[in-house]
Amino acid sequence: MIALHGITKRFGTHSVFEDIDLTLEQGEIIVIIGPSGTGKSTLLRCINYLETPDAGRLTVGDLSLDVTRASRQEILALRRRTAFVFQSYALFANKTALDNICEGMIVVDGLSKAEAHARGREILERIGLADKANAYPASLSGGQQQRVGIGRAMAAKAEVILFDEPTSALDPEWVDEVLSLMKQLALERQTMIVVSHEMQFAREVADRVVFMDEGRIIEQGPPDELFTNPRDKRTQRFLRKVLANNPVV
Amino acid sequence: MHVLDLDYMLGLLPILLGYLPLTLEMAGAGMLAALVLACLLAVVRVQRTPGLNALAMLFISFFRGTPLLVQLFLFYYGLPQILTFLVAINGITATILGLTLHFSAYMAESIRAAIVGVDRSQTEAALSIGMTQGQLMQRIVLPQATRVATPTLMNYFIDMIKATSLAFTLGVTELMGATQKEAAGSFLYFEAFLLAAIIYWIVVEILSWLQRRLEKRLNRAYQR
Ligand SMILES: Nc1ncnc2c1ncn2[C@@H]1O[C@H](COP(=O)(O)OP(=O)(O)O)[C@@H](O)[C@H]1O
Ligand SMILES: [Mg+2]
């Protein structure tokens, strides 16, 4: 189970969000939508402790911590239970596709190189890049790089994978291959929190869609409910705008 | 007019070349020690380690802000008067020490710039999978930063080889010291120092050639 209780984040005097509560069951897939600058990325980054929250409680699996008193060990433990997929892929430029995937297994989980490579090759197989094991990120397409980014997150065997707009930096031609890999993970009931404006994806894959605006969770619910019957004015306005650009079938 | 005494130079060549290993050893040892120290300084500067950062800044400022010759005299002639256990320090050790401290200050700044140049998102990616700061530095950031900094570091190595000639002011008979002695015996100063200059020049040219080849390879790195 993943639970956020009263998570608050400020940058200096600017408060991004206050008192956010959010709970996910294991195997649940939620998609967070909302205007830009609302704090979606910051929220994901707080769950991974890439940003230090100012108040609240984070629970991931058997680990539960008060964010204001988290020790270094607890932060590392939290990061081991969560994996992040970045908008800009953020692959290690000095490592091949295989080594990008294996790095965490070797350094963080302490697997032997042989074990890690065996698992790494399985993952390459699953993300459809078995033939790119020895390619460096610079020689891969955007879609391939993001699939390696997802592979790296899969290798972490995390309780939850956090996706921050995984397709929005991609040329349109590469979007589908990344989304279909994410769908595949969803079918395997990998717990995921996805920030994305791919409405079609949200509709097909999400168990729950969460709409955020100005640092607040305005409303949430199953996609057909939220998309067809949004209650709040802000949700309605936002959906009208987004769906006009990206009609959902 | 004095005609260049080529026979004398040919005879002197093997003698001077005999001192080249010492020159290269001092530069090699100084370079290795300076690299280690410079990496430490650079990491302290990048992570702004409390306390250490201020010390590192002071260190870098001092060793970049004063002439190498003054630093060498300070270590060899000055410090033993205060720290008496240093009385036994010999000229070679003092030179290596001086070269290390002096060049590490310059190299730390190039390494720091190269570290800062590594894309920040890679740092976040490493942290996000649970790597520690140390693992992140060692496995992701430093390997990339060293590649970026290598051409500049090679330049410092070349400078360091030339700077070893200052060791002769501490009474070390290395390439320069030996040339001085030979010249004083034969009075053929022009021939002797010309020959020394040519030897330094050739060594530096060989290294520059290596540097260019290395640079080409580094530019192709991580591209496959
Ligand atoms: N490192 C930072 N320093 C200061 N302000 C930040 C930082 N990161 C984000 N913000 C601010 O926090 C708010 C939320 O940003 P973000 O989480 O990126 O929104 P979203 O992902 O929904 O577009 C914005 O106002 C943004 O300017
Ligand atoms: Mg964002």
Side-chain angles (χ1 to χ4, degrees), chain B residues 151-212:
Chain B
T152 324
L153 297 179
M154 284 283 284
N155 278 338
Y156 286 128
F157 183 52
I158 287 171
D159 282 350
M160 202 186 273
I161 288 176
K162 291 185 283 185
T164 55
S165 61
L166 292 174
F168 118 91
T169 62
L170 307 188
V172 179
T173 311
E174 39 61 74
L175 184 50
M176 179 64 186
T179 311
Q180 163 75 21
K181 279 191 186 145
E182 291 292 330
S186 66
F187 294 108
L188 291 173
Y189 287 100
F190 185 72
E191 279 84 349
F193 286 121
L194 179 62
L195 189 59
I198 290 172
I199 293 174
Y200 280 115
W201 190 15
I202 290 173
V203 169
V204 168
E205 273 308 311
I206 291 172
L207 282 168
S208 306
W209 175 78
L210 277 176
Q211 182 186 22
R212 282 190 299 273

Side-chain angles (χ1 to χ4, degrees), chain A residues 163-174:
Chain A
F163 293 81
D164 190 9
E165 304 209 29
T167 56
S168 55
L170 289 174
D171 287 338
E173 54 186 316
W174 310 126

